[in-house]
């Protein structure tokens, strides 16, 4: 059921909304926030939970920590190493237990912060593996959007050229 839902998505905004909704439905966390990069700032594009997530500058310890991993990560109880005050506050305010990166062509495109499960259960290695798979699927979808945009541009250029070049 889920693969068909994702296959029908045509825009990044739809992808983030669908992903957030699915994560909330299946994991039932207290909070879930998807941050997407927009000109060196990560902005929340999907939010569930009580906290109001801020925009996060690309150079913060939190972003660097997330970008440094290709897999889902549990947030250490002691907090992330060398974290600045902003990073610590964001993780605490969102009640973040798990963070996973979404990369496109090797660069951090987005990341997801997930709070503790409402059931009180811990995130298992199976959960982390599933979230890593979700991240890789989202990364491939983002590349698909890039390819679709290039194809649309090529078609538009071809249509413009047909006005001037005989068949």
């Amino acid at each position: 059921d889920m693969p068909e839902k994702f296959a029908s998505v045509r825009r990044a905004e739809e992808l983030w909304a669908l992903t957030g909704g699915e994560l909330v439905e299946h994991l039932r966390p207290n909070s879930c926030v998807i941050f997407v990069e927009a000109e060196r700032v990560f902005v929340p594009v999907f939010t569930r939970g009580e906290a109001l997530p801020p925009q996060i500058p690309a150079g913060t310890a939190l972003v660097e920590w997330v970008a440094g991993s290709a897999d889902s990560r549990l947030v250490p109880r002691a907090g992330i190493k060398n974290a600045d005050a902003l990073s610590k506050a964001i993780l605490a305010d969102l009640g973040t237990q798990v963070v996973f990166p979404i990369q496109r062509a090797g660069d951090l495109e987005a990341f997801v912060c997930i709070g503790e499960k409402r059931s009180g259960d811990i995130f298992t290695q199976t959960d982390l593996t599933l979230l890593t798979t979700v991240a890789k699927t989202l990364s491939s979808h983002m590349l698909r959007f890039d390819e679709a945009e290039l194809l649309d541009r090529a078609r538009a250029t071809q249509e413009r050229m047909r006005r001037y070049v005989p068949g």
Side-chain angles (χ1 to χ4, degrees):
D1 185 38
M2 258 178 50
E4 292 102 26
K5 289 180 185 178
F6 283 96
S8 67
V9 172
R10 299 289 176 243
R11 293 185 8 235
E13 299 81 23
E14 296 171 31
L15 183 65
W16 303 130
L18 177 60
T19 299
E22 291 292 321
L23 290 171
V24 168
E25 181 180 336
H26 294 289
L27 293 175
R28 302 208 182 281
N30 287 330
S31 64
C32 179
V33 180
I34 300 176
F35 292 93
V36 175
E37 196 271 333
E39 298 181 21
R40 306 273 312 139
V41 175
F42 285 82
V43 296
V45 295
F46 177 89
T47 303
R48 290 295 183 275
E50 293 183 18
L52 182 61
Q55 295 184 1
I56 306 171
T60 62
L62 174 57
V63 171
E64 296 299 321
W65 182 72
V66 173
S69 176
D71 297 328
S72 300
R73 299 175 127 187
L74 286 172
V75 174
R77 290 189 194 275
I80 61 176
K81 200 181 236 185
N82 302 323
D84 53 14
L86 176 62
S87 299
K88 288 178 183 178
I90 291 167
L91 292 172
D93 286 349
L94 298 177
T96 304
Q97 298 251 317
V98 175
V99 176
F100 68 90
I102 301 162
Q103 298 183 358
R104 177 166 39 177
D107 294 325
L108 185 64
E109 170 78 15
F111 63 94
V112 181
C113 293
I114 300 175
E116 67 182 52
K117 294 180 180 179
R118 280 186 256 157
S119 65
D121 292 342
I122 63 167
F123 284 94
T124 64
Q125 189 58 46
T126 302
D127 292 330
L128 296 177
T129 301
L130 172 68
L131 292 173
T132 297
T133 302
V134 167
K136 290 178 181 176
T137 300
L138 292 170
S139 295
S140 69
H141 278 287
M142 294 306 297
L143 289 173
R144 182 175 55 97
F145 293 151
D146 288 347
E147 291 168 2
E149 184 178 328
L150 288 173
L151 187 58
D152 288 345
R153 286 183 191 171
R155 286 183 184 143
T157 300
Q158 189 176 35
E159 286 300 316
R160 286 192 304 271
M161 292 297 290
R162 283 191 179 148
R163 294 182 201 157
Y164 306 106
V165 178

